[in-house]
Amino acid sequence: MAQDSLTYIWPTDASRVLTSSFAESRGGRFHAGIDIKTWGRVGYKIVAIRDGTISRINVSPFGYGKAIYLTLDTGEHVVYAHLNQFRKDIEDWVWKEQQSRGRYGVKLYPEKSQFPVKQGNVLGTTGQTGIGYPHLHFEIRDASHHPINPHRLGYRVQDSKAPFITKVLIKPLNAFASVERDVQPQIYYPVHLGNHQYQLTDTVQVHGCIAFAVSAFDQMEGYSHKFGTFINELYIDDSLRFRARYDKFSYSANHYFKLDRDYRQLVRGHGYFYNLYRETNNILPFYDKAPEYTGVLNVAPDQQPCRLHAGSSNGVMDVDQPCRFDIRVQDYWGNTASVTGFLAPAADTLFAAPVPPENDLDTIEALVIDDIAADSAGLDRLLLPPFDVEIDYFDYHARLQLSLNSTWPYHPIVLGELPEGRIAQSPLIHSDSVWIGAWPLDPEQQGPIRLKLLARNYIAPDIIQNITLPVHTVNPGEQRILVNADSTCTLVFSPYSLFKTMHVRFDTTLPDSSNTKLIGTVHDLEPRDVPMEKGATLRLTCPDSVPNRQQLALFSKFKQHYSFIGNSYDPVSQTFSGQISSLGSYCIARDAEPPVVWALQPVNGDTLTDVKPVLSVRFKDEMSGVSGEDNRQLILDGKPLIAVYDPEAEILRYQPRRLLTPGRHILKARIRDRCGNITQQSSVFVIKEDL
């Protein structure tokens, strides 16, 4: 639909320049609209894009800040967010509602007849309330409140610039797949050939079930803002194998963002990658109803069956010869960039089908390295030290890297037991005293998984080194309770906790002796790079002897930063509990420090001629934080004020609507953190009488 038809008009006079696009990443969810540039300023007009009625008004210091929800005569809904002010009649009504409720943050639903608007009517002005720099967040939803890409309704911008492709990810999906003779994902940096064409210069050797992901962004000419792409496609030998088109989604499925992008690469610090295949259980509407695993390739299928553990493999494409891949990314206006490369079945496959050994895992006769002290005669007789074993975990396999600082002719073999009870061998590939292998993590196999590393040196007796994969398997739809070895940490999974199978591992880190905040150990829960759907409940035990329990809470910990989870305490089980959205490092810590309050304005002793002075206070709390209006208060002459909180500037402000009376006034700031620590500060100021 052409924009100049004026069916829908542009929502602001600020600009026609975007700073963010539809369906970009927003902290584990999709951006539900477009952001329009306001040049770092506030106060531009916003207008009704069609006839309609104001159906909802939100005011909050967080999120969308001050927002208007307009229901159009088409049944669609429009959101204008981060506003500075509403139109005067709307502003006055909102202020009265705030006064009657005694709160700044409100959600209001006017009667349909209260605020009818015509196309072009001014609704308010742009601002920076809520979170973010000054801009207008503009959102259009269909009649069912599903966000849609505003460009679909004819909202054009000047953009003839093609997207940029920065990285390509090729990843094995199980223990029987490999990329360049390894079972871990490989990141490639394509060469730019010009004319928006990129290329991987070397043929990539692959085997088994693999998938692609791409890192790309779009821009408008003349501006540095980076946007998401609109269409992403994967072609194999000119045949379209996968397509994602970001034009509409449901808020109820917004958290499935974690399956649309490669969550593991993001957590591991490699940035955002668009997955070019449909993950199992991904219900997003971007993929034209393609079956699960559409976009996945199974290279050399005669040597290796698909072996995907979850979902249907109908979308998997078998590839038995070298092929060309072409990844194309496109913005809404058809500007396209592409990256090409070649795949070839690996000449020496890393993972053939498991081979049964001759012996039972428990009856193999050999010397067990990890059961012998370092100074024992038995270990001296081995001539060589144990292998250094590094283990990395992926969705359905563990990567084993075995290294040995020696040139002795060791030939290691990894043996283990499969879920059906059969003993199997995982072949290893050798390069420069390092052996790479993998072991499958099956949804049906409960851990810990015992493996034996058998090293045949042809000189001394065979050597066995025990390897343990300390995993606890939880599948989607299961109700499971996992407890660590010393019963100090419990994870409770509901049937709605997970998108995909998770192989949970418990570990601990001892606190620094100088850290007086921590109570007990830090619990390191893995895998933190596997996304969760609804999360899980975490319980950590707190010894009964720990005093001043009201100052304790459950925190997540990253380096030296603590994030409050909850302070719900059960005296019967002696545990603190809270809901977590991902695994990571968690602990019980003490917050004994009250919030720091400074810069209370007016300062004590001030004499003012301004009869409507801005009253404010800055404050900060390092540990548990301050939550809720009741815990951040400005009080003038004994009366609590409905003050505006700016969480980014950490300042609480109030400007009177009525003139302050001449004479003496007392301003008090009262700030309480989540662990009950309170700071109060007062100032006395005088309004000078106008002579």
Side-chain angles (χ1 to χ4, degrees):
M1 184 179 298
Q3 171 63 23
D4 59 8
S5 69
L6 299 183
T7 302
Y8 301 84
I9 65 174
W10 194 257
T12 179
D13 64 349
S15 75
R16 287 176 177 258
V17 178
L18 303 187
T19 59
S20 294
S21 60
F22 184 79
E24 288 180 8
S25 70
R26 284 295 184 274
R29 57 182 177 83
F30 294 104
H31 188 227
I34 58 175
D35 289 344
I36 299 174
K37 191 176 185 70
T38 62
W39 313 103
R41 300 192 292 271
V42 303
Y44 292 97
K45 296 176 183 177
I46 62 162
V47 298
I49 65 171
R50 280 184 67 106
D51 294 357
T53 60
I54 295 176
S55 53
R56 178 178 167 188
I57 298 171
N58 276 15
V59 179
S60 171
F62 306 101
Y64 282 180
K66 300 177 78 169
I68 282 181
Y69 294 70
L70 181 64
T71 298
L72 303 181
D73 54 3
T74 60
E76 296 161 318
H77 307 274
V78 180
V79 183
Y80 306 80
H82 309 296
L83 304 184
N84 185 48
Q85 285 186 322
F86 303 121
R87 193 177 67 195
K88 187 177 185 308
D89 58 334
I90 302 171
E91 188 80 32
D92 289 344
W93 180 70
V94 170
W95 181 77
K96 289 178 182 177
E97 293 296 321
Q98 290 173 318
Q99 294 297 311
S100 67
R101 290 166 168 78
R103 308 191 69 77
Y104 172 77
V106 292
K107 292 183 179 180
L108 306 175
Y109 299 88
E111 295 293 332
K112 187 175 181 180
S113 60
Q114 190 168 355
F115 296 113
V117 297
K118 291 293 185 181
Q119 185 180 63
N121 284 171
V122 174
L123 304 176
T125 58
T126 65
Q128 65 176 116
T129 55
I131 302 300
Y133 51 85
H135 70 282
L136 173 65
H137 173 84
F138 175 64
E139 187 175 324
I140 298 180
R141 305 175 183 178
D142 66 14
S144 299
H145 289 277
H146 297 155
I148 61 177
N149 194 324
H151 297 319
R152 290 175 54 179
L153 302 182
Y155 285 102
R156 295 194 62 86
V157 295
Q158 187 63 39
D159 182 7
S160 59
K161 194 171 185 178
F164 295 83
I165 297 174
T166 57
K167 292 176 282 190
V168 173
L169 179 75
I170 307 179
K171 49 185 174 181
L173 296 185
N174 57 29
F176 311 104
S178 64
V179 178
E180 293 297 336
R181 306 172 79 223
D182 206 332
V183 293
Q184 64 183 356
Q186 303 293 322
I187 296 176
Y188 298 90
Y189 297 85
V191 175
H192 187 210
L193 304 177
N195 197 28
H196 322 303
Q197 304 295 311
Y198 300 79
Q199 188 177 60
L200 267 61
T201 55
D202 297 325
T203 297
V204 182
Q205 303 290 319
V206 295
H207 181 76
C209 286
I210 64 162
F212 288 84
V214 65
S215 179
F217 65 90
D218 189 34
Q219 285 186 313
M220 295 174 62
E221 50 264 85
Y223 302 97
S224 60
H225 307 290
K226 294 182 178 180
F227 312 126
T229 56
F230 176 57
I231 294 176
N232 299 326
E233 296 174 326
L234 171 66
Y235 291 80
I236 301 297
D237 288 337
D238 297 321
S239 173
L240 178 63
R241 300 307 307 171
F242 174 84
R243 188 173 194 256
R245 176 186 171 100
Y246 299 97
D247 56 3
K248 181 179 180 179
F249 65 89
S250 167
Y251 268 111
S252 64
N254 204 351
H255 57 294
Y256 281 80
F257 172 91
K258 298 173 184 178
L259 299 183
D260 182 74
R261 313 294 157 93
D262 192 301
Y263 186 78
R264 174 170 289 110
Q265 297 304 316
L266 177 63
V267 171
R268 295 192 179 194
H270 300 143
Y272 285 99
F273 284 84
Y274 291 92
N275 281 329
L276 296 173
Y277 69 105
R278 185 169 186 170
E279 274 265 32
T280 182
N281 295 327
N282 187 346
I283 65 172
L284 291 166
F286 305 138
Y287 321 111
D288 300 325
K289 299 182 179 180
E292 291 177 331
Y293 294 120
T294 292
V296 172
L297 307 183
N298 187 28
V299 181
D302 57 327
Q303 301 179 34
Q304 193 61 254
C306 187
R307 296 178 184 266
L308 292 174
H309 294 297
S312 168
S313 60
N314 293 339
V316 177
M317 177 184 181
D318 288 340
V319 176
D320 57 7
Q321 59 187 0
C323 64
R324 178 179 183 268
F325 68 85
D326 183 359
I327 297 170
R328 303 176 192 175
V329 298
Q330 184 180 134
D331 65 18
Y332 192 88
W333 318 110
N335 303 305
T336 303
S338 67
V339 56
T340 59
F342 292 89
L343 302 177
D348 54 339
T349 58
L350 179 56
F351 300 104
V355 178
E358 297 178 358
N359 303 86
D360 181 84
L361 194 62
D362 290 320
T363 59
I364 296 175
E365 296 294 334
L367 196 58
V368 181
I369 289 179
D370 60 5
D371 289 344
I372 301 177
D375 58 353
S376 69
L379 192 57
D380 293 340
R381 183 164 58 85
L382 297 178
L383 304 177
L384 290 177
F387 285 88
D388 181 29
V389 180
E390 296 182 24
I391 305 173
D392 195 5
Y393 293 87
F394 299 91
D395 287 350
Y396 298 112
H397 66 280
R399 178 182 183 269
L400 310 175
Q401 178 172 304
L402 317 174
S403 56
L404 193 65
N405 294 324
S406 171
T407 57
W408 283 80
Y410 270 63
H411 299 276
I413 298 171
V414 173
L415 305 175
E417 186 174 339
L418 296 177
E420 64 269 23
R422 183 166 59 91
I423 306 302
Q425 171 183 328
S426 175
L428 305 170
I429 194 163
H430 178 240
S431 175
D432 298 328
S433 297
V434 173
W435 288 261
I436 301 295
W439 191 261
L441 300 177
D442 195 288
E444 303 302 320
Q445 187 168 16
Q446 294 301 318
I449 298 173
R450 297 184 303 122
L451 305 178
K452 290 186 181 291
L453 171 58
L454 175 63
R456 302 182 184 277
N457 65 8
Y458 302 106
I459 298 174
D462 291 344
I463 304 161
I464 287 182
Q465 185 169 333
N466 291 329
I467 301 174
T468 300
L469 307 181
V471 297
H472 305 266
T473 304
V474 185
N475 292 302
E478 289 184 345
Q479 177 89 33
R480 289 289 307 278
I481 298 177
L482 301 181
V483 183
N484 71 342
D486 62 3
S487 300
T488 58
C489 177
T490 301
L491 278 170
V492 181
F493 293 88
S494 80
Y496 310 102
S497 288
L498 303 180
F499 289 121
K500 60 175 78 172
T501 297
M502 179 176 279
H503 303 283
V504 178
R505 307 181 300 280
F506 293 93
D507 202 355
T508 57
T509 301
L510 292 175
D512 187 329
S513 58
S514 63
N515 190 335
T516 59
K517 297 178 180 178
L518 286 175
I519 305 299
T521 59
V522 176
H523 294 266
D524 300 312
L525 309 178
E526 298 286 353
R528 64 188 70 199
D529 58 5
V530 175
M532 302 175 75
E533 182 176 3
K534 298 295 185 182
T537 300
L538 172 66
R539 299 175 188 152
L540 297 185
T541 300
C542 179
D544 191 45
S545 58
V546 178
N548 301 323
R549 228 178 226 88
Q550 73 278 3
Q551 297 178 336
L552 304 182
L554 187 64
F555 291 85
S556 66
K557 185 175 184 295
F558 180 72
K559 296 181 178 178
Q560 299 305 312
H561 178 71
Y562 296 84
S563 296
F564 179 86
I565 301 297
N567 52 7
S568 175
Y569 179 71
D570 180 7
V572 176
S573 61
Q574 297 182 14
T575 59
F576 282 90
S577 64
Q579 190 72 13
I580 60 174
S581 58
S582 65
L583 300 188
S585 295
Y586 294 93
C587 61
I588 298 171
R590 183 182 301 282
D591 182 1
E593 299 296 324
V596 176
V597 171
W598 72 96
L600 183 62
Q601 297 286 343
V603 300
N604 192 48
D606 264 0
T607 297
L608 309 176
T609 58
D610 185 356
V611 292
K612 286 187 177 181
V614 175
L615 313 177
S616 67
V617 63
R618 290 184 181 273
F619 65 89
K620 188 177 184 66
D621 189 78
E622 293 290 348
M623 281 286 288
S624 59
V626 177
S627 178
E629 289 190 44
D630 294 339
N631 294 315
R632 49 178 187 267
Q633 289 186 326
L634 280 174
I635 303 166
L636 180 63
D637 300 330
K639 181 181 178 181
L641 305 176
I642 301 176
V644 180
Y645 177 52
D646 183 340
E648 293 170 314
E650 297 177 317
I651 187 169
L652 192 63
R653 293 189 185 95
Y654 177 83
Q655 185 165 23
R657 285 198 167 205
R658 298 187 177 91
L659 306 182
L660 294 188
T661 58
R664 180 175 178 270
H665 295 273
I666 301 174
L667 179 66
K668 179 186 292 186
R670 183 181 186 275
I671 311 297
R672 181 181 186 272
D673 67 23
R674 289 181 172 111
C675 285
N677 303 299
I678 298 174
T679 296
Q680 297 188 110
Q681 189 170 320
S682 299
S683 72
V684 178
F685 65 95
V686 173
I687 298 294
K688 187 176 181 181
E689 187 170 1
D690 187 3
L691 301 178

